[in-house]
Amino acid sequence: MTHYERALDLAERGRGRTRDHPLVGAVVVNAGKVVGEGWYEYDGVRHAEVIALEQAGEAARGATLYVTLEPCSHHGRTPPCADAVVDAGVARVVVGARDPNPVVDGRGLERLSAAGIEVELLDDLAARRQNEAWRVWKGLGRPFVTYKAALTLDGRVTVPGRRWVSGEESRRRVHELRAVSDAVAVGMGTVRADAPRLGAREVDAVRQPRRLAFGRGPLPAGSELELRSGPLEEELRELAADGVQSLLLEGGPTLATAFLSGGLVDKLLLFFAPVLGGDGPHAFGDLPVPLELLHLRSEPSGEDILLEAYLREP
């Protein structure tokens, strides 16, 4: 494991504990030896770079700092991390990704360079993926939207005579996705057809996601979903203002097509089952233009295959 990969691993220790802040990990190395490490947790207040530099002490002078996200350059709950790096006498900084927050966005790197520190920006996909929801929430002012669907190999979302399209392992993974999402949503067609609960069940969940229905009401009697009937972009902005950083979209073809046509989907998670449906609705309706997919990955999910792809750079 490289020192930079160690910083990425450290950042993950803050998962679920950073609130409205990103995951950040930092490692200070002097003469090939790790002299300081840190990661960010909201309640700890101190940022990853500051923790690592304090551990390093005088050994930070002339050292290399590996940090997964651009050091901040503004006063928030703490003084600027970029200033702390300069004051510690660090000679070189390796940064995983720029900070899209408008109050930072390159200013931290500029501060370091202006102080004579050698700066290397990796623009690393792993670092950007690590904070993909936070980056969209902070940079675009809306939640990061993931569209999830279970499909047959011929692209249909139902299989005649079967309740489920995907297998048990894929369905369990969907509950894990819900557990780490701020909100889960379907369209009113799905609400009327299936009366989904959308909770995270039989998995470790620190909290349950907000459960939403997009479309025209009314909701069926007894439904515990939250109805969102306005234009999608406006609804997403309101959700973001409420602190919703990540939205898992589980709706049918109508809702998926509306989000995709509006450029409001960031990532696809498609569980392909080893079956040809032969009949029934397809996952997507007509789109105004072809959509190019980025960073495709596939992996087994029980008897299914999970395909992951991005609609824009994370």
Side-chain angles (χ1 to χ4, degrees), residues 171-186:
R171 298 196 300 274
R172 183 190 63 79
R173 293 180 72 162
V174 170
H175 285 277
E176 292 177 346
L177 288 168
R178 292 176 180 177
V180 296
S181 299
D182 294 328
V184 181
V186 293

Side-chain angles (χ1 to χ4, degrees), residues 23-54:
L23 297 173
V24 185
V27 176
V28 181
V29 179
N30 197 329
K33 179 182 178 182
V34 175
V35 293
E37 294 185 337
W39 66 91
Y40 180 74
E41 293 183 13
Y42 188 89
D43 292 335
V45 178
R46 295 182 304 158
H47 287 199
E49 303 96 313
V50 173
I51 296 171
L53 292 170
E54 288 182 358

Side-chain angles (χ1 to χ4, degrees), residues 263-299:
L264 300 175
V265 175
D266 300 288
K267 183 163 72 171
L268 298 176
L269 291 176
L270 305 178
F271 293 89
F272 284 94
V275 61
L276 296 173
D279 191 16
H282 286 90
F284 309 111
D286 293 336
L287 298 172
V289 295
L291 299 177
E292 298 291 338
L293 304 182
L294 307 172
H295 307 302
L296 271 68
R297 299 195 306 179
S298 63
E299 62 182 71

